[in-house]
Amino acid sequence: MGFLTGKRILILGVASKLSIASGIASAMHREGAELAFTYQNEKLKDRVVKFAEGWGSDLVFPCDVQEDNQITDLFSRLGDNWEGLDGIVHCLAFAPANELHGNYVDITTREGFLTAHEISSYSFVALAQKGRKLMEGRNGSLVTLSYLGALRSLPNYNVMGLAKASLESNVRYMASSLGPEGTRVNGISAGPIKTLAASGIKSFRKMLDHNAKQTPLRRNITIEEVGNAAAFLASELASGISGEILYVDGGFNTTAMGSLNDLEAS
Ligand code: NAD
Ligand code: 0WE
């Protein structure tokens, strides 16, 4: 019997088979969870419906997190199908493309800053707020996806780094707010993975190669590995863990002098 048997979990952020949300859905499905999904816009609808079928689900709802009424409607429609909800997986982020290429101080705009924070961080607490009634008293779990750019500066990640810093703080404040009613809130800080969101990024290939060389495990991580960690965090196996950021990055964040990794050989 899977360790998520009997759990009902909502996953936001499936856009392709490469999406981190798809790795999470596969792991959660394997462990016996019942799943529901959202799609950002009509262009993605048919695809997400088809993927959902593959994970045994016909619960697929629209949700552009920039629209309050879509978040409200999402939980009202979910409540028509499920009397309670055990988990929400927040696997989405966005900054306008012009914010993700160039010198941070030169290129950052008020509009891009606000959009990045709204979609990538505010949406997490907005979902928790509107989903709260359905989740109350079920020892449920919220999980979001972050990146090391929250804590360290790196080229071109720019305002997304600030939005991830906000998201990680959001994890801690939401954990304090929801803990008394039994709900846990955690984040996964994943190493870089080639997904749709990464395909628009200049030199992403180079970053992946560099990252693999600098990482203790000497390779990049996979959406399956993130999926397993998310399934764990959503399960009773993680019943004592809240407000935490769990690194699934092959150990990258724990090292320095990575470029001298071949010293031992010479
Ligand atoms: P992806 O492109 O597969 O997924 C991004 C998702 O965000 C898409 O499903 C898209 O529809 C959704 N989205 C964007 N704006 C939205 C909105 N307004 N409303 C609703 N949904 C919206 O890419 P991914 O890499 O799987 O990204 C998922 C998460 O993982 C993001 O939070 C990202 O920051 C994080 N992450 C990615 C990496 C990486 O290297 N790929 C590393 C660490 C963390
Ligand atoms: O969080 C992310 C990327 C999120 C993202 C991606 C895009 C591309 C398309 C947010 N907004 C947009 N907007 C678009 O128009 N990652 C952790 C992956 C990523 O993105 C980078 C990285 C890494 C790693 C951008 C620059 C440098 C490194």
Side-chain angles (χ1 to χ4, degrees), residues 65-110:
V65 298
Q66 283 189 297
E67 304 293 334
D68 282 337
N69 60 329
Q70 291 194 24
I71 300 178
T72 306
D73 291 353
L74 165 64
F75 289 106
S76 107
R77 293 178 65 182
L78 203 58
D80 294 340
N81 289 275
W82 288 349
E83 71 285 358
L85 177 65
D86 302 298
I88 301 176
V89 180
H90 175 270
C91 201
L92 56 92
F94 182 80
N98 59 297
E99 302 287 336
L100 297 175
H101 182 53
N103 182 288
Y104 173 65
V105 173
D106 285 341
I107 67 161
T108 302
T109 68
R110 185 188 300 271

Side-chain angles (χ1 to χ4, degrees), residues 43-72:
K43 262 197 336 230
L44 288 168
K45 178 178 180 178
D46 293 350
R47 271 216 243 170
V48 178
V49 166
K50 212 187 80 216
F51 285 125
E53 254 174 48
W55 296 307
S57 169
D58 60 359
L59 299 179
V60 182
F61 309 109
C63 186
D64 180 332
V65 298
Q66 283 189 297
E67 304 293 334
D68 282 337
N69 60 329
Q70 291 194 24
I71 300 178
T72 306

Side-chain angles (χ1 to χ4, degrees), residues 3-4 7 138-141 179 181-186 229-244:
F3 61 69
L4 288 174
K7 298 277 189 200
R138 296 174 64 97
N139 295 335
S141 160
E181 63 204 50
T183 304
R184 297 177 296 104
V185 185
N186 294 290
F232 161 70
L233 285 176
S235 79
E236 298 305 318
L237 295 172
S239 58
I241 303 176
S242 195
E244 194 63 81

Side-chain angles (χ1 to χ4, degrees), residues 12-16 18-22 38-41 44 63-67 90-94 119-120 123 144-148 157 160 164 167 188-198 204 208 221 223:
L12 297 92
V14 173
S16 80
L18 302 175
S19 292
I20 292 176
S22 297
T38 66
Y39 55 90
Q40 183 191 350
N41 53 45
L44 288 168
C63 186
D64 180 332
V65 298
Q66 283 189 297
E67 304 293 334
H90 175 270
C91 201
L92 56 92
F94 182 80
I119 297 181
S120 312
S123 64
T144 187
L145 266 293
S146 192
Y147 177 59
L148 185 60
Y157 200 61
M160 267 311 304
K164 291 301 194 190
L167 178 68
I188 292 174
S189 184
I193 305 177
K194 183 92 189 158
T195 62
L196 272 191
F204 198 79
L208 282 178
I221 53 117
I223 62 169

